[in-house]
Amino acid sequence: MKRLVINKIVLALSTLSAVLGLAFLAWILITLFVKGLSSFHLSLFVNDLINNGLRNLIIGQFILAGMASIIGIPLGMVAGIYIREYGRGRYANIIRNLSDIMMSAPSIVIGAFVYALVVVPTGHTSGFAGSIALAIMMIPIVISTTDSMLSLVPQELREAGIALGASKYKVIFDIVIKSAKVGIMTGILLAFARIVGETAPLLFTSQTSNYFTLDLTQAFPSLSVSIYDLASDVQTSSRDLAWAASFILTVMVLVINLTGKFITRNKK
Amino acid sequence: MEKIFQKLSFSSATLVFIILLGIFITLFNAARPAINEFGLHFIVDPVWNKEVPLTTPTAKTSTVQASTTDDNIAVNPDDFSEDDGMGMDEDEDSVPTKTVYGGLVPLVGTIFSTLIALAFAMPIAMGIAIFLAEIAPKNISSLVGGAIELLAAIPSIIFGMWGLYYFAPIVADLFGGFQVSLLTAGLVLGVMILPFMAAITRDSMNTTPDILKESAYALGATKFEVIKDIIFPFSKTGIIGSIILSLGRALGETMAVAFLIGSIFELPHKVTDPTITIPVALANNFGEASGVGMSSLFYLALILFVMSFGVISFAKFYFLRKVN
């Protein structure tokens, strides 16, 4: 009898913790929607921060993440291909583990690293520095998705290609990557969603700017960094703007994230 | 072509190694002035940006409280360092002074906020994992699991704002003390690592072979007994690994904590006291720092990097082999 009661209690507690987890999610999202929408206005997309808008910040955030993708995706994919297709034994395994460790490296430390590497020699913060910091965060994520997606491709496909006389890189590009395409793209989308909401690596690499700019050699507007500045501002109008910006940032991140997940689910 | 691509892919893979090594070397180089000046004593010195007379040994200043007490704990008291320096200047007019930096306070803050996060997140994450793996029917499990994973996708700065304006007042009401404190920062950190911990725990629980569970059920075991005596022992290494990995995550979390910890260089006496962590010290002071102060920040960054590297590789090599 006692066993059954304990069983019931534990199961109830487990269910309760799941409810608690969902409650936190709901709490945060509802807060964002209520606070964000109350100060949301379409003019936010037209004006720059200097005129109490967010246009330059949103565009800037995407450009930073886009530049990071241009650097990070090819490097990460090619490295992932090496680990799965070329690498033999020990070395590939070491790189795989190091890449996993790098994935969990504190983002602020990556910011400090890029600061010392790029900002100090050039003398000022720049969009490039921010993109490099984000790219360093992105590379290990792309490596690990490429690696695991390629591992799902059946060995027989590769053997069939080789039996037809194709060279190894032809097999990789025309057969292996083609069949893993959807998975890799999804992984890249999720990696993008992950870095587009990042703040810490940008704080002292790209900083942020009140003005619209496309010049990556100067301080570059960033939505997330500006949220940090605005949210700690004493003026309520700034804080309202911060809530609207947070709402937009979260919607952006969640939409990209959910799109990625939706593609994977449809594929299955 | 074949050869070129092979070389190219080899060098991209090696890039990972180079970047990690580069981070270590760059941080070490930038931290060298501080390392030379303060040495390992840095780790146990609770003073930050304090001017002391050149003749006094550094150890004595550790008994003097940093004069930041009256700094009201605003969201982001960036300017406390200047206050600090100026207050000391008046007393030490003629004596030659040097500025001392110590990393004890952020180190303690980092470790304790992480421990609070773990203590808060662990039972809930275990509960969620049990719910997802053993209790919920498949479609509900994937739905709830997906929702919990969404929690992980929310940018950390959002956690900070929500935590500061909505969560912290409630915590302060319940436990007293300041709204920005070690406790609120730790709890919000806990919420942030929750989905991560729950997901890995669930995955390792799912590796338990059905035949083992079914045998136990056939013997009349209750669900709890199956979880306790079959699933947990079987997936123990994976679960411990997931906990340590989440710990590694929590160590380096910056933005959410920056809103909630109070950002003052002072050792906390109670969990409801404000203090600072290494990532927050970096985030708030990097802009204004120069000279040895800058170098000390790099020293902190180096310590954080080594800590998280150590923790994560420990988790990977000792516990997560099986899961991978």
Side-chain angles (χ1 to χ4, degrees), chain A residues 179-260:
Chain A
S179 50
K181 200 169 59 190
V182 181
I184 294 178
M185 298 241 283
T186 315
I188 287 172
L189 210 58
L190 291 178
F192 187 83
R194 176 101 171 261
I195 60 159
V196 84
E198 271 295 340
T199 316
L202 298 177
L203 272 179
F204 27 81
T205 52
S206 74
Q207 276 180 319
T208 186
S209 161
N210 290 347
Y211 302 94
F212 180 85
T213 178
L214 294 174
D215 182 6
L216 282 166
T217 58
Q218 297 298 324
F220 209 71
S222 149
L223 189 59
S224 52
V225 177
S226 282
I227 291 176
Y228 184 53
D229 292 344
L230 290 168
S232 22
D233 203 297
V234 277
Q235 283 183 334
T236 22
S237 63
S238 297
R239 270 193 260 152
D240 286 342
L241 197 60
W243 280 110
S246 309
F247 172 70
I248 294 170
L249 183 70
T250 311
V251 169
M252 269 162 38
V253 171
L254 291 189
V255 165
I256 301 172
N257 189 285
L258 287 175
T259 314

Side-chain angles (χ1 to χ4, degrees), chain A residues 3 7 17 20 31 35 78 82 86 91 95 104 106 113 115 143 168-169 204 224 228 231 239 246 250 253, chain B residues 1-2 5 9-10 13-14 16-17 26 124 127 153 157-158 161-162 165-166 220 224-225 284 286 294 308 312:
Chain A
R3 294 169 51 227
N7 181 46
S17 24
L20 192 66
T31 308
K35 287 295 283 183
V78 175
Y82 176 82
Y86 285 108
Y91 185 70
I95 296 291
S104 310
F113 166 61
Y115 181 89
I143 289 180
K168 181 135 193 183
Y169 91 98
F204 27 81
S224 52
Y228 184 53
R239 270 193 260 152
S246 309
T250 311
V253 171
Chain B
M1 206 45 201
E2 171 72 44
F5 183 69
S9 71
F10 175 79
T14 313
V16 171
F17 182 66
T26 312
I124 302 176
I157 190 154
I158 308 294
M161 278 187 76
W162 161 79
Y165 293 111
Y166 292 89
F224 170 61
E225 285 161 348
N284 285 344
F286 228 82
M294 193 62 166
S308 87
I312 294 160

Side-chain angles (χ1 to χ4, degrees), chain B residues 240-308:
Chain B
I240 299 175
S242 88
I243 293 169
I244 302 180
L245 221 52
S246 325
L247 188 147
R249 284 265 162 119
L251 280 180
E253 177 49 47
T254 312
M255 298 322 294
V257 184
F259 277 96
L260 292 161
I261 196 87
S263 310
I264 59 169
F265 279 95
E266 212 178 302
L267 282 177
H269 299 289
K270 307 188 291 289
V271 283
T272 51
D273 281 347
T275 178
I276 199 164
T277 67
I278 295 179
V280 178
L282 289 171
N284 285 344
N285 299 309
F286 228 82
E288 298 95 59
S290 59
V292 187
M294 193 62 166
S295 184
S296 304
L297 287 175
F298 275 111
Y299 199 172
L300 284 178
L302 182 69
I303 293 173
L304 180 66
F305 181 64
V306 170
M307 265 164 74
S308 87

